[in-house]
Amino acid sequence: QKEVEQNSGPLSVPEGAIASLNCTYSDRGSQSFFWYRQYSGKSPELIMSIYSNGDKEDGRFTAQLNKASQYVSLLIRDSQPSDSATYLCAVNMDGGFKTIFGAGTRLFVKA
Amino acid sequence: DARVTQTPRHKVTEMGQEVTMRCQPILGHNTVFWYRQTMMQGLELLAYFRNRAPLDDSGMPKDRFSAEMPDATLATLKIQPSEPRDSAVYFCASGLVQVSNQPQHFGDGTRLSIL
């Protein structure tokens, strides 16, 4: 079992719809979780971080965390073509000093 | 805006040559990570340093790869001898790890092609 798992996609949604991206992780002791966005040919950029169970909202983005189920998700409301990218889930492990990334989910938003 | 700086941005060389990639972390960050990204494997952690000390390099092929941090402003990743399978994008990232929940910030990467 991989330490951080994501559906590779591609996930295709129409403009204006909600995109839902999911991630599961193996280390029950993990405390810090991040979502990065990576455009083709570019480096990953941080878009959300979450540390407590529940929802965290930032603009059109909502991160959701359920530590009991070892599950993290990212919702993108009112999806725009500019949201088309690969979204990487990242989880801190080994006491917080090691970050493991999932393989990423490719998102396409159709105009 | 503080940024992680990586050089070179692109490198094309022949098999067997030595390759050195450099990274200047964000000033004040105490942790530096090296990643390799390919289409097949995704983003793989190769090695990381905290306060310039290597903490984990288990993701790195030891026979040909080496990572060092000679001072707080410079981290290096060397491949000697290079092989075509080393072709990938290599990212450096830095973070401030005083509490565990700080995210990393990535450089623009070095796109490496070994012919």
Side-chain angles (χ1 to χ4, degrees):
Chain A
Q1 181 191 4
K2 291 184 179 178
E3 293 175 288
V4 180
E5 296 211 47
Q6 297 180 253
N7 287 329
S8 60
L11 174 65
S12 183
V13 300
E15 184 175 0
I18 295 175
S20 178
L21 306 162
N22 305 314
C23 171
T24 58
Y25 59 94
S26 60
D27 183 358
R28 285 197 166 273
S30 296
Q31 298 293 324
S32 307
F33 308 87
F34 309 99
W35 283 98
Y36 287 79
R37 177 177 62 200
Q38 187 175 24
Y39 292 113
S40 181
K42 301 295 185 182
S43 60
E45 61 174 322
L46 179 73
I47 54 172
M48 288 288 288
S49 56
I50 187 166
Y51 313 112
S52 305
N53 280 329
D55 295 0
K56 179 181 177 183
E57 187 174 318
D58 184 359
R60 296 186 296 112
F61 298 97
T62 299
Q64 299 174 316
L65 174 61
N66 184 326
K67 291 183 182 178
S69 300
Q70 295 174 243
Y71 178 88
V72 193
S73 66
L74 179 70
L75 300 178
I76 306 174
R77 291 183 300 282
D78 188 24
S79 295
Q80 302 296 309
S82 59
D83 295 326
S84 298
T86 296
Y87 289 81
L88 300 166
C89 173
V91 179
N92 274 12
M93 299 185 180
D94 288 354
F97 300 116
K98 180 176 179 177
T99 302
I100 301 298
F101 284 79
T105 299
R106 293 190 68 189
L107 172 67
F108 291 104
V109 180
K110 299 174 293 185
Chain B
D1 256 358
R3 297 184 60 193
V4 175
T5 303
Q6 288 186 249
T7 57
R9 291 292 310 279
H10 303 273
K11 176 75 174 179
V12 180
T13 192
E14 292 187 345
M15 183 174 70
Q17 297 298 304
E18 177 178 301
V19 174
T20 298
M21 291 169 274
R22 293 178 173 81
C23 169
Q24 180 177 5
I26 292 173
L27 187 64
H29 281 186
N30 62 354
T31 309
V32 174
F33 305 83
W34 282 105
Y35 293 91
R36 176 172 63 186
Q37 189 173 42
T38 62
M39 289 294 292
M40 294 298 293
Q41 299 296 328
L43 201 59
E44 300 174 275
L45 178 63
L46 297 176
Y48 65 102
F49 295 77
R50 186 180 181 212
N51 295 325
R52 295 177 55 201
L55 286 192
D56 188 348
D57 62 0
S58 59
M60 206 163 63
K62 302 280 191 312
D63 56 337
R64 299 184 299 108
F65 284 60
S66 62
E68 296 180 343
M69 198 160 178
D71 63 61
T73 65
L74 177 64
T76 63
L77 179 66
K78 291 186 181 180
I79 309 174
Q80 170 62 26
S82 58
E83 297 181 2
R85 59 179 168 154
D86 300 329
S87 298
V89 181
Y90 290 81
F91 288 107
C92 173
S94 71
L96 178 59
V97 184
Q98 290 178 333
V99 293
S100 68
N101 56 356
Q102 298 301 309
Q104 304 167 26
H105 299 268
F106 282 77
D108 290 333
T110 294
R111 189 174 296 273
L112 178 63
S113 295
I114 308 297
L115 306 177

